Amino acid sequence: ETGVTQSPTHLIKTRGQQVTLRCSSQSGHNTVSWYQQALGQGPQFIFQYYREEENGRGNFPPRFSGLQFPNYSSELNVNALELDDSALYLCASSLGSPGQNYGYTFGSGTRLTVV
Amino acid sequence: DQQVKQNSPSLSVQEGRISILNCDYTNSMFDYFLWYKKYPAEGPTFLISISSIKDKNEDGRFTVFLNKSAKHLSLHIVPSQPGDSAVYFCAASPSTSGTYKYIFGTGTRLKVLA
């Protein structure tokens, strides 16, 4: 039990659709990061949220957006889905602020398939 | 441009022997490093970390070595056990912005043979 729960575990969407992925972090984990892991690759940083505000972003287009809520849950939204968006999406939360290096606890991920 | 590289996609080691997983990075601003282990159908699990002020950090069977001049780190597992079979990712982050945003390597699949 990692304490970080992601839903759904698997999802199939059609190109052009929109998707929302959800993550529930451990209590007190104010920092949450989202990663995209394509097959055979390491996780790629999408963005990070701290206390409900975006705190850094990787090399992803604006159609990738997020939200963080006061109850330590967060969402990743992807608009206008493309086939290349097919990947495992990982949520990772951390105790403390982004400037404190406590390391991350990862969820098991959501496997998104775009057809 | 891959800033964190794990050049060995796979490694097989006999049970009881040492496993050495390597990681190279290109960004001299990276000063915090993590190793994660990932089993199939699970998220990555944090193993061990090291900051650039150290050259070694040890936790039980796991030791991470950092060579800043060579921009190289390695994870040693001694003795290796069959349960260590997994994909291992190294990750690096600069801290200059006050935010830790880790860049991951592509992973090394370790297989420990009984």
Side-chain angles (χ1 to χ4, degrees), chain A residues 8 10-14 17 19 81 111-115:
Chain A
H10 295 83
L11 194 56
I12 300 176
K13 290 291 217 179
T14 304
Q17 284 188 311
V19 69
L81 282 166
R111 171 76 60 192
L112 173 66
T113 302
V114 182
V115 298

Side-chain angles (χ1 to χ4, degrees), chain A residues 47-96:
Chain A
F47 45 55
Q48 182 181 82
Y49 276 78
Y50 174 62
R51 291 193 170 169
E52 301 158 53
E53 293 202 1
E54 188 177 293
N55 184 54
R57 192 175 184 93
N59 223 12
F60 281 81
R63 58 189 185 84
F64 285 77
S65 63
L67 285 171
Q68 186 186 26
F69 303 101
N71 65 352
Y72 306 110
S73 66
S74 61
E75 290 179 355
L76 164 65
N77 298 289
V78 188
N79 292 324
L81 282 166
E82 300 176 0
L83 297 179
D84 285 350
D85 295 333
S86 297
L88 179 70
Y89 288 85
L90 294 163
C91 163
S93 70
S94 177
L95 187 64

Side-chain angles (χ1 to χ4, degrees), chain A residues 35 37 41-43 45 48 55-56 88 90 98-101 104 106-108, chain B residues 2 32 34 36 38 41-44 46 89 98-102 104-106:
Chain A
Y35 287 83
Q37 186 175 11
Q41 301 294 317
F45 176 75
Q48 182 181 82
N55 184 54
L88 179 70
L90 294 163
Q100 296 171 303
N101 187 30
Y104 288 101
F106 279 84
S108 299
Chain B
Q2 192 72 24
Y32 280 93
L34 306 177
Y36 281 87
K38 187 178 185 303
E42 294 183 14
F46 171 76
F89 293 98
T99 298
Y100 292 94
K101 288 171 280 193
Y102 285 93
F104 282 76
T106 53

